[in-house]
Amino acid sequence: MVKRIVMVVIVVGIVVGVAVFFKIDKIDRDSVGDVVYEVVDEENIPGEIMDKINGYGKGMRRASFICSDEMYIVVYYGEQATDGYSIEVSKLYESENSIFLETVLMGPKSVKEVKAVKSYPYIVIRLPLSDKRVVFL
C-alpha cells in the first residue's frame, strides 16, 4: 500500500514538474494591432544572422533572433529549382503575448526571364525589440 501511494505521488510530481518546466501558456490570437517592421536588404543583414541563413541548406526554416536590441525574423524557403522567386509578407500583427507572421513564396513573374539555376529565397524582417513569442502562420 505504501509503495502505491509513493508511486502516485511521484507520478503527480513528474506531471506537475513537466507542466511548470514547459510553462504551458495560452497563445492569444486576438490582434491588438499591426507591427511596424522593415524588410532588410541583404547588405544590411547582421553577419551572425547571415551566417545562420547560409547554413540552412535545402529545407524550409523559420526563426527569430535578437541582435543589437532589435528583433529579426527569418523565413527561408529552401532550395528552389529556378531563380526569380520573391517573398511577400501577407500578415504581420501582434496580440497581447505573441507576434504572428504569414509569408507567401511568389513564383517567377515571367517564365521567359527564369534561369534554370537553383535559388534559396529568404526574407529577413526587422522589428522593434520584443519579448513576445513569434508564431508562424
Side-chain angles (χ1 to χ4, degrees):
M1 182 68 174
V2 173
K3 276 178 115 178
R4 183 173 235 150
I5 293 172
V6 170
M7 244 350 213
V8 169
V9 169
I10 289 172
V11 169
V12 169
I14 290 172
V15 170
V16 170
V18 167
V20 169
F21 179 75
F22 286 106
K23 195 179 173 188
I24 301 170
D25 290 333
K26 180 182 176 228
I27 296 175
D28 179 10
R29 292 186 175 268
D30 294 332
S31 175
V32 295
D34 292 333
V35 178
V36 176
Y37 71 93
E38 173 188 3
V39 175
V40 183
D41 294 328
E42 186 172 350
E43 62 271 3
N44 294 321
I45 298 171
E48 55 266 33
I49 295 174
M50 200 67 226
D51 290 344
K52 296 271 191 192
I53 293 169
N54 289 333
Y56 280 161
K58 294 183 179 185
M60 182 177 186
R61 299 287 293 269
R62 300 179 292 192
S64 61
F65 303 94
I66 303 298
C67 185
S68 301
D69 292 330
E70 295 178 299
M71 176 183 274
Y72 291 83
I73 302 174
V74 175
V75 179
Y76 176 87
Y77 277 91
E79 184 176 274
Q80 305 299 317
T82 64
D83 70 349
Y85 287 86
S86 62
I87 300 168
E88 178 181 293
V89 175
S90 56
K91 291 181 187 173
L92 182 55
Y93 67 93
E94 63 183 328
S95 69
E96 289 295 327
N97 64 2
S98 302
I99 295 172
F100 295 87
L101 173 64
E102 180 177 77
T103 60
V104 177
L105 179 64
M106 310 294 286
K109 292 183 183 196
S110 170
V111 177
K112 295 175 186 174
E113 298 175 16
V114 172
K115 295 177 185 168
V117 60
K118 292 179 183 174
S119 64
Y120 303 84
Y122 63 88
I123 188 169
V124 177
I125 300 164
R126 180 175 29 227
L127 313 165
L129 186 60
S130 174
D131 62 351
K132 295 180 180 182
R133 76 178 81 199
V134 177
V135 177
F136 296 96
L137 304 173

